[in-house]
Amino acid sequence: MYGTVARMKIKPGAEEQLRQISRDFESIQVPGFVSQQIYRLDAHPNEYILVVAFESKDAYVANAGSPAQNDRYQQIRALLAAEPEWHDGEIVASYPPR
């Protein structure tokens, strides 16, 4: 598996919009998509960690380069106070195993 982890700082009052966008994405069929989680950090309430997993690096790269994904990203980016900090990589362990 392959994916990304992003640290994001949202604008004050934007959490419900972030949740709604995430719920809207649930109905979209993205080839190779496995899972997504968004964590709100206890120590920094306006900071979030986004974790996304795909079946393979090829599936991840194909999605990342798609116009539809860019549209989804722009919706999220409008809620952020700054550019996210991205960390892409191979997922070497997951529980439960896939």
Side-chain angles (χ1 to χ4, degrees), residues 42-93:
D42 288 343
H44 305 279
N46 282 348
E47 291 191 28
Y48 293 74
I49 300 293
L50 168 70
V51 180
V52 181
F54 280 80
E55 292 174 351
S56 67
K57 184 175 183 177
D58 288 343
Y60 172 81
V61 170
N63 179 67
S66 74
Q69 176 56 26
N70 183 61
D71 291 346
R72 292 187 292 268
Y73 171 71
Q74 293 305 322
Q75 289 179 5
I76 292 173
R77 180 60 184 95
L79 304 176
L80 304 182
E83 286 293 325
E85 177 185 311
W86 297 100
H87 302 280
D88 298 350
E90 180 184 2
I91 299 168
V92 297

Side-chain angles (χ1 to χ4, degrees), residues 3-58:
T4 194
V5 176
R7 186 177 187 129
M8 307 180 299
K9 184 172 184 175
I10 68 168
K11 295 174 183 175
E15 181 175 347
E16 184 51 41
Q17 289 173 286
L18 180 65
R19 288 176 186 251
Q20 184 59 51
I21 289 170
S22 183
R23 284 190 295 269
D24 292 346
F25 291 167
E26 291 175 9
S27 64
I28 299 170
Q29 297 295 318
V30 177
F33 174 78
V34 174
S35 67
Q36 170 184 286
Q37 293 80 37
I38 300 175
Y39 299 80
R40 181 179 54 230
L41 301 181
D42 288 343
H44 305 279
N46 282 348
E47 291 191 28
Y48 293 74
I49 300 293
L50 168 70
V51 180
V52 181
F54 280 80
E55 292 174 351
S56 67
K57 184 175 183 177
D58 288 343

